[in-house]
């Protein structure tokens, strides 16, 4: 079949779970990242058993990034699997916020709390090549992927397996503490796509309805011993809990600012005493 016919086949098979725009995006990602092909209407391709199997997984809701084994984030491809969150474009905006604040800085010390695939500290390491960067995560399997990504992209990150909900003592202080922690309340699950609910790690996504800010409390607790006096905290936040999150940070920090993402939702918070 031609690639044009394969594209139409994808649209037909996936139309019950994705709209046409989403399906076309999935098809082009599959074409380039899995088949290593550029789209040419008349290019002939064999409809192999592997393509058939991949399409069945997509119909079942498997994210395209799990089928290709990689996700594009901030100019690079990162290995991902079922043990890591798929990096989101909104998180790139968090990287940009730090880049804009520290573009003249050199010898920074940075730590990422809850690193997953490592996309945040690795992207920062490439932006700030002289920085000393650390990252932690509770999941050993996620840290294996993060370590692979750091090696592939040739950056030096010090990884720790730690639980943010427990007391953490690392013999270092940092200019920047950054975190994209679990922040989606269980009550918000019904609004989420099944490919997220069924295939991405709930440990990295969800919090209890009555304790939705628990990880931000732990970030603040960690910062008591590990943030330099002139340092800054940056976090991605739940768009529905922006003001509540700001009130929490204002209890300890003089300057707290919420930033909206490209869609106009409360998405990032920055806190500092300097």
């Amino acid at each position: 079949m031609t690639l044009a016919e394969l594209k139409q086949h994808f649209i037909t098979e996936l139309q019950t779970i994705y709209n046409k725009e989403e399906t076309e995006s999935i098809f082009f990602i599959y074409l380039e990242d899995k088949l290593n092909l550029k789209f040419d209407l008349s290019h002939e391709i064999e409809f192999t058993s592997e393509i058939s199997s991949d399409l069945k997984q997509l119909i079942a809701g498997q994210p395209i990034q799990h089928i290709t084994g990689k996700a594009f984030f901030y100019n690079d491809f990162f290995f991902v699997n079922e043990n890591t969150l798929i990096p989101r474009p909104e998180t790139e905006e968090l990287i940009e916020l730090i880049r804009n604040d520290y573009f003249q800085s050199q010898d920074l010390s940075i730590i990422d709390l809850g690193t997953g695939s490592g996309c945040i500290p690795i992207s920062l390491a490439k932006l700030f090549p002289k920085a000393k960067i650390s990252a932690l995560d509770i999941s050993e399997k996620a840290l294996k992927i993060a370590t692979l990504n750091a090696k592939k992209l040739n950056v030096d990150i010090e990884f720790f397996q730690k639980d943010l909900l427990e007391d953490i003592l690392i013999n270092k202080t940092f200019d920047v503490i950054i975190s994209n922690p679990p922040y989606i309340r269980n009550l918000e699950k019904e609004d989420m796509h099944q490919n997220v609910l069924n295939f991405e790690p709930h440990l990295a996504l969800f919090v209890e309805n009555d304790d939705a800010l628990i990880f931000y409390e732990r970030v603040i607790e960690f910062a008591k011993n590990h943030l330099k006096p002139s340092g800054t905290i940056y976090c991605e936040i739940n768009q529905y809990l922006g003001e509540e999150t700001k009130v929490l940070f204002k209890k300890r920090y003089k300057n707290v600012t919420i930033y909206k993402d490209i869609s106009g939702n409360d998405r990032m918070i920055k806190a500092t005493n300097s």
Side-chain angles (χ1 to χ4, degrees):
M1 62 170 48
T2 65
L3 289 183
E5 291 170 334
L6 181 62
K7 176 186 173 185
Q8 186 56 50
H9 186 58
F10 266 64
I11 292 172
T12 301
E13 292 294 316
L14 296 175
Q15 64 182 351
T16 58
I17 56 175
Y18 299 105
N19 62 39
K20 185 178 179 181
E21 182 178 311
E22 291 171 325
T23 304
E24 288 183 342
S25 176
I26 288 169
F27 171 74
F28 286 120
I29 291 172
Y30 183 79
L31 190 69
E32 294 188 14
D33 295 355
K34 184 68 184 283
L35 302 182
N36 296 314
L37 293 173
K38 297 292 184 183
F39 186 63
D40 180 337
L41 285 169
S42 59
H43 183 89
E44 293 281 344
I45 186 172
E46 180 186 356
F47 189 75
T48 64
S49 59
E50 183 178 12
I51 295 176
S52 177
S53 175
D54 289 342
L55 189 52
K56 287 177 182 177
Q57 292 181 68
L58 287 169
I59 293 169
Q62 184 92 341
I64 181 62
Q65 292 86 352
H66 286 178
I67 291 171
T68 63
K70 58 186 177 181
F72 192 72
F73 178 84
Y74 209 81
N75 303 318
D76 289 302
F77 280 101
F78 289 80
F79 295 124
V80 294
N81 63 17
E82 68 279 2
N83 300 303
T84 64
L85 284 185
I86 297 166
R88 265 64 173 184
E90 293 85 354
T91 307
E92 292 183 340
E93 297 181 59
L94 192 61
I95 301 290
E96 278 292 288
L97 183 58
I98 297 171
R99 184 181 74 87
N100 291 336
D101 283 351
Y102 285 94
F103 71 97
Q104 291 183 320
S105 304
Q106 293 293 325
D107 298 324
L108 288 173
S109 54
I110 301 171
I111 189 166
D112 177 35
L113 307 179
T115 197
S117 66
C119 63
I120 289 175
I122 291 168
S123 298
L124 289 172
K126 297 190 74 175
L127 283 174
F128 302 102
K130 293 185 179 181
K132 294 180 175 63
I133 300 181
S134 305
L136 61 83
D137 201 284
I138 188 176
S139 170
E140 181 181 2
K141 292 179 179 179
L143 287 172
K144 286 182 179 179
I145 295 296
T147 301
L148 283 174
N149 282 323
K151 183 176 181 180
K152 178 174 79 80
L153 294 171
N154 197 32
V155 296
D156 184 22
I157 310 288
E158 185 175 15
F159 291 107
F160 301 93
Q161 186 179 0
K162 301 283 186 182
D163 184 353
L164 190 54
L165 295 182
E166 297 180 355
D167 290 336
I168 298 171
L169 186 60
I170 297 172
N171 191 27
K172 294 183 178 183
T173 56
F174 301 93
D175 298 295
V176 172
I177 293 175
I178 183 169
S179 185
N180 179 17
Y183 59 67
I184 302 171
R185 294 168 293 179
N186 286 319
L187 63 85
E188 297 168 47
K189 285 182 178 180
E190 62 185 35
D191 298 324
M192 301 182 71
H193 200 286
Q194 288 301 305
N195 65 355
V196 177
L197 288 175
N198 294 338
F199 295 98
E200 295 201 60
H202 286 204
L203 186 68
L205 285 169
F206 298 109
V207 289
E208 297 298 328
N209 297 334
D210 59 355
D211 205 5
L213 301 182
I214 184 171
F215 283 97
Y216 300 98
E217 293 170 357
R218 297 306 302 173
V219 169
I220 292 169
E221 187 65 27
F222 178 85
K224 287 180 183 178
N225 296 317
H226 297 93
L227 185 67
K228 294 180 180 179
S230 60
T232 310
I233 299 173
Y234 298 85
C235 292
E236 191 167 320
I237 63 173
N238 186 319
Q239 69 187 68
Y240 305 113
L241 298 173
E243 285 306 313
E244 292 90 333
T245 310
K246 184 175 183 179
V247 168
L248 178 66
F249 277 91
K250 286 288 285 185
K251 291 178 181 178
R252 184 162 182 86
Y253 295 96
K254 296 176 184 176
N255 305 309
V256 181
T257 307
I258 289 177
Y259 296 85
K260 294 185 181 297
D261 62 23
I262 195 170
S263 300
N265 299 315
D266 290 346
R267 185 61 62 195
M268 297 158 282
I269 197 164
K270 170 183 168 183
T272 182
N273 279 324
S274 63

